[in-house]
Amino acid sequence: MEGTMDGDPYRKIAWRLIPFLLACYATAIIDRFNIGFAKLQFLQDLKLDDTAFGLAAGAFSVGYVAVEVPSNLLLVRIGIRKTLLRIMVLWGGVTVLLSLAQNQYHLYSLRFLLGAAEGGFFPGILFYLTLWFPDRIRGRMTSLFVMAVPLGGIIAGPLSGLIMDGMQGLNGLHGWQWLFIIEGLPPVVLGVVAYCYLSDEPKHAPWLTSGEKRRVEADLAQDRLATTKASTGKFSEALREPRVYVLAFVYLSFFCSLNTILLWTPTILKKVGAASATEIGWLTGTISVASAAGMVAIGYSSDRTMERRWHVAICGLAAAACFFLLYLAQNSVVATLMLLAAASIGVFAILSLFWTIPNSMLEGNAAAGGLALISAIGAFGGAACPAFVGWLSVISGNIYVPLGAVGTLLAVGMLALLVGIPRPATAPPRKQGSLPKRP
């Protein structure tokens, strides 16, 4: 991380915060999407179909959207330590309870509660980073943080496959039940650690010197004075900003594609010939490795050129094309794997770059509430999309029909980004040796 910062306070802060926050987010990704692996077994055990699975997967986002904005506004008042303790202990406990599901209604209810428990986590961390890093550094820190998404996939794929195959029948439990139990415990532990380990803001950090605290506060104050953002920082004004809703639609189209990749990849691989949960797990882990490498390379290109919109749009359009081409690869595991990897690279690259755009538009309460609003509206696609994909795959008898629909939505979202969010006309001046500010 040394090459990403220009000052000892930020190097120290980054090493203190980012690895731990990344680990927390990786566990969130694992618990949010492990139902895609559990599906390989519980559809038969619980006598369900893809429609029921899609509804259960989407119920997560209904709970998430319902709680996300108030959770982030509460974060401003109570701080990150109490917020993460509440969020992570609750979501870990609900994940363990999923092992007790006996029918689709249990799944619907528990997935809703899981989303409600986790609501506010991601935008809350984004807001938390604004309290520690100035603009010229924050974009890099965000990119490092969202590396948790492919990292979670790298861990979850092989781990989930090994648990489901290796522990099937142990103590009378199915492999998918052990999956929820084992993967639900780490966030409970991390939530307690977060309360003890993190500091709510720099002035409360005993591991920073007085001089380092003054340096951080001065840099953040300079950002506030130099800002050219349209919002005055009031949440009410974020609600009246049209670009917020354009970005929410862009995020919705992205979130649908992300959910489709993470929830349906095991099903797609099984359809084209991958035999066991373990094999599927290693294949999805391979996709996640490629995604992580691609995210780094695309992020480097975006930083080098100081351009964001076209990087996001091109990645999205390329991923959309892969969704369409999967139909032509349905008889080949290798071709399907390559297309899923390419789509994942594009989708995860969007995740690493997208949030730099609203971060440059909003500040203060508008940053806390506005980021949550964009995430909440966008994440609504996470509720509708899994249900839609499951329903359409059942009535059409073909998973590739809904995949094409998801690709179409993603392409439209990328066009909306290019049309509705104009490129900044000028870039603010930078000090010698400082890092480029993300637009």
Side-chain angles (χ1 to χ4, degrees), residues 58-83:
F60 171 92
S61 292
V62 177
Y64 195 96
V65 169
V67 173
E68 187 166 25
V69 172
S71 175
N72 228 39
L73 294 175
L74 180 63
L75 164 62
V76 178
R77 298 180 57 186
I78 68 173
I80 195 69
R81 296 168 62 244
K82 293 178 181 179
T83 297

Side-chain angles (χ1 to χ4, degrees), residues 301-308 311 423 427-428 430 436-437 439:
S301 172
S302 181
D303 285 339
R304 183 175 57 84
T305 60
M306 296 181 63
E307 198 287 321
R308 312 299 174 189
H311 278 78
R423 183 179 184 275
R430 292 192 288 125
K437 176 181 175 180

Side-chain angles (χ1 to χ4, degrees), residues 84-426:
L84 288 188
L85 177 64
R86 168 182 61 83
I87 287 176
M88 300 189 72
V89 170
L90 286 176
W91 106 48
V94 174
T95 299
V96 173
L97 289 176
L98 276 164
S99 66
L100 303 178
Q102 297 296 313
N103 54 53
Q104 68 266 40
Y105 303 109
H106 292 164
L107 287 175
Y108 299 158
S109 301
L110 289 169
R111 285 286 294 182
F112 173 86
L113 291 176
L114 180 62
E118 193 182 320
F121 175 82
F122 181 72
I125 298 300
L126 293 180
F127 173 70
Y128 183 59
L129 294 179
T130 69
L131 304 179
W132 294 86
F133 299 103
D135 283 348
R136 67 181 184 274
I137 295 172
R138 194 182 308 136
R140 299 287 183 89
M141 297 301 101
T142 301
S143 295
L144 289 171
F145 171 62
V146 299
M147 282 292 291
V149 180
L151 177 62
I154 292 170
I155 297 170
L159 177 63
S160 298
L162 290 171
I163 291 173
M164 289 174 61
D165 283 342
M167 303 186 71
Q168 174 69 16
L170 182 64
N171 291 333
L173 297 178
H174 297 291
W176 62 269
Q177 292 177 300
W178 281 113
L179 175 69
F180 287 131
I181 293 171
I182 292 174
E183 294 184 353
L185 295 177
V188 176
V189 176
L190 287 173
V192 175
V193 173
Y195 182 80
C196 302
Y197 178 76
L198 295 177
S199 301
D200 287 329
E201 51 187 314
K203 67 181 180 182
H204 297 145
W207 41 273
L208 287 178
T209 67
S210 297
E212 289 168 338
K213 294 177 183 179
R214 288 193 298 269
R215 166 72 185 278
V216 173
E217 177 56 33
D219 286 347
L220 296 177
Q222 185 177 20
D223 278 351
R224 290 192 291 269
L225 289 173
T227 185
T228 58
K229 299 170 185 174
S231 170
T232 64
K234 296 181 180 179
F235 180 49
S236 60
E237 295 201 12
L239 293 175
R240 296 193 295 269
E241 170 56 65
R243 292 175 297 173
V244 168
Y245 297 97
V246 174
L247 288 170
F249 173 71
V250 174
Y251 190 67
L252 183 148
S253 69
F254 152 75
F255 206 76
C256 284
S257 64
L258 177 66
N259 271 263
T260 301
I261 287 288
L262 294 176
L263 287 171
W264 293 92
T265 287
T267 298
I268 296 169
L269 290 172
K270 184 176 182 179
K271 179 178 177 60
V272 298
S276 66
T278 300
E279 180 183 357
I280 292 171
W282 284 109
L283 290 176
T284 58
T286 300
I287 292 172
S288 296
V289 170
S291 301
M295 180 187 293
V296 171
I298 294 168
Y300 174 79
S301 172
S302 181
D303 285 339
R304 183 175 57 84
T305 60
M306 296 181 63
E307 198 287 321
R308 312 299 174 189
R309 289 167 59 255
W310 278 103
H311 278 78
V312 170
I314 290 172
C315 287
L317 292 171
C322 291
F323 280 113
F324 288 110
L325 292 173
L326 280 168
Y327 174 77
L328 301 178
Q330 61 182 299
N331 295 319
S332 171
V333 174
V334 174
T336 296
L337 183 68
M338 292 177 65
L339 286 171
L340 287 172
S344 297
I345 290 171
V347 168
F348 290 154
I350 294 173
L351 179 62
S352 71
L353 298 175
F354 172 83
W355 288 104
T356 63
I357 301 173
N359 267 332
S360 70
M361 292 167 43
L362 305 168
E363 62 177 351
N365 282 337
L371 291 175
L373 181 64
I374 291 170
S375 183
I377 293 175
F380 180 77
C385 188
F388 171 77
V389 171
W391 169 78
L392 190 55
S393 67
V394 169
I395 66 169
S396 67
N398 191 335
I399 187 64
Y400 299 101
V401 174
L403 291 179
V406 171
T408 300
L409 178 63
L410 181 58
V412 173
M414 296 304 102
L415 295 177
L417 173 66
L418 295 175
V419 174
I421 307 295
R423 183 179 184 275
T426 59

